[in-house]
């Protein structure tokens, strides 16, 4: 397991890199550089002619990545979201195909631990939650202007929060008195509605997840990136995705299965053993979860799921 200077631990590092089956002279994409744990492990397996392109939405992650790019000519970094994956790859590699794409969908430890980023609620900070602090709408702006119906929809759809309507109603009442601007302010409000429930989980966890997903368009970005990853992969190239909650994993699982299944012939056709049109991927093994040892060392790995698929010819 790799720990960066920021204290961030790369989750399922060995399993993810092994799943990519890295070829020494190949071209690869780490679509979420974070603090570089996965990228450094990938570079360690690349030869002198290999290349790794990193992407990240977070300016602080990009700054850290540029330090790596300055000392390793095989690595380059782009400040870009998932939805720019293909265009960034083409800008660097032209018509060449990639041998592997890695996506780590988790929020990095620095993002969670820095109160000013507004991702967490254990330390007081501004309601921001943007992956890219240079663009987009901060969470506080959305919280204070969205309709009660929209608030409720987001909490339910992206957080699977069963108290979504009650929480949305309380937010609308409270913000009429004074804007909600701080993470602990919102977390305390939600806790007052929900009360105690799941052991070891703060009552505001689901709503904070929902707000973060909405503000950053995370599920839309993921869906676009999965399609683009398949487009840039060479035959035999690998796609490895690490997800951290059921909404993400559901999208990844469904996408990989659909691409591996292709277009299904009607059941009443007399001949069914012909090549299946539309198949682009082959599943590689089963879903992989963090080991007991890794979870003990890094509790944030407990919900991680790794899925790997290979591009067909």
């Amino acid at each position: 397991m790799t720990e960066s200077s920021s204290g961030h631990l790369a989750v399922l590092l060995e399993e993810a890199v092994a799943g990519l089956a890295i070829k020494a002279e190949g071209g690869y994409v780490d679509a979420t550089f974070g603090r570089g744990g996965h990228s450094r492990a990938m570079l360690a397996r690349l030869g002198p002619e290999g290349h790794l392109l990193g992407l990240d939405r977070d300016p602080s992650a990009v700054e850290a990545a540029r330090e790596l790019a300055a000392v390793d000519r095989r690595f380059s970094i782009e400040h870009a979201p998932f939805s720019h994956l293909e265009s960034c790859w083409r800008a660097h590699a032209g018509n060449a195909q990639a041998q592997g794409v890695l996506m780590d969908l988790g929020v990095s430890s620095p993002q969670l631990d820095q109160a000013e980023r507004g991702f967490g609620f254990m330390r007081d900070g501004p309601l921001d939650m943007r992956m890219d602090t240079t663009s987009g709408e901060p969470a506080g702006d959305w919280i204070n202007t969205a309709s009660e119906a929209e608030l409720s929809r987001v909490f339910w759809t992206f957080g699977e929060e069963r108290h979504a309507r009650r929480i949305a109603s309380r937010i609308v009442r409270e913000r009429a008195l004074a804007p909600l601007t701080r993470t602990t302010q919102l977390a305390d409000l939600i806790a007052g509605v929900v009360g105690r429930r799941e052991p070891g989980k703060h009552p505001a966890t689901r709503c904070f997840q929902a707000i973060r997903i909405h503000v950053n368009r995370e599920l839309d970005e993921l869906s676009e990136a999965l399609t683009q990853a398949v487009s840039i992969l060479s035959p035999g190239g690998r796609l490895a995705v690490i997800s951290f909650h059921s909404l993400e994993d559901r999208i990844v699982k469904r996408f990989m299965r659909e691409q591996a299944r292709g277009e299904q012939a009607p059941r009443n056709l007399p001949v069914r053993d012909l090549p299946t049109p539309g198949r682009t991927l082959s599943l590689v093994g089963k879903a992989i979860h963090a080991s007991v040892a890794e979870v003990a060392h890094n509790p944030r790995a407990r919900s991680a799921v790794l899925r790997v698929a290979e591009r067909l010819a």
Side-chain angles (χ1 to χ4, degrees), residues 174-285:
E174 292 296 326
R175 76 187 188 192
L177 303 175
L180 299 169
T181 61
R182 310 295 294 181
T183 55
T184 53
Q185 183 186 13
L186 179 60
D188 289 345
L189 180 155
I190 295 169
V193 175
V194 176
R196 289 186 173 274
R197 58 171 185 206
E198 302 171 58
K201 181 177 284 190
H202 191 283
T205 299
R206 295 181 185 274
C207 283
F208 268 63
Q209 170 187 295
I211 297 167
R212 191 200 78 221
I213 290 173
H214 173 74
V215 166
N216 295 291
R217 293 184 66 251
E218 290 180 30
L219 301 187
D220 290 337
E221 288 282 334
L222 173 58
S223 295
E224 291 181 40
L226 290 170
T227 300
Q228 292 181 28
V230 172
S231 296
I232 69 170
L233 281 174
S234 64
R238 297 282 184 91
L239 169 63
V241 185
I242 304 170
S243 57
F244 288 81
H245 57 74
S246 59
L247 296 176
E248 292 172 338
D249 187 50
R250 200 174 301 149
I251 291 173
V252 176
K253 181 179 180 180
R254 182 180 298 125
F255 176 83
M256 288 185 173
R257 284 188 171 179
E258 288 177 352
Q259 296 301 310
R261 186 180 298 123
E263 300 173 16
Q264 296 299 292
R267 293 183 177 276
N268 59 350
L269 279 187
V271 178
R272 296 180 55 80
D273 294 330
L274 297 174
T276 304
R279 289 188 67 210
T280 61
L281 296 176
S282 173
L283 303 181
V284 177

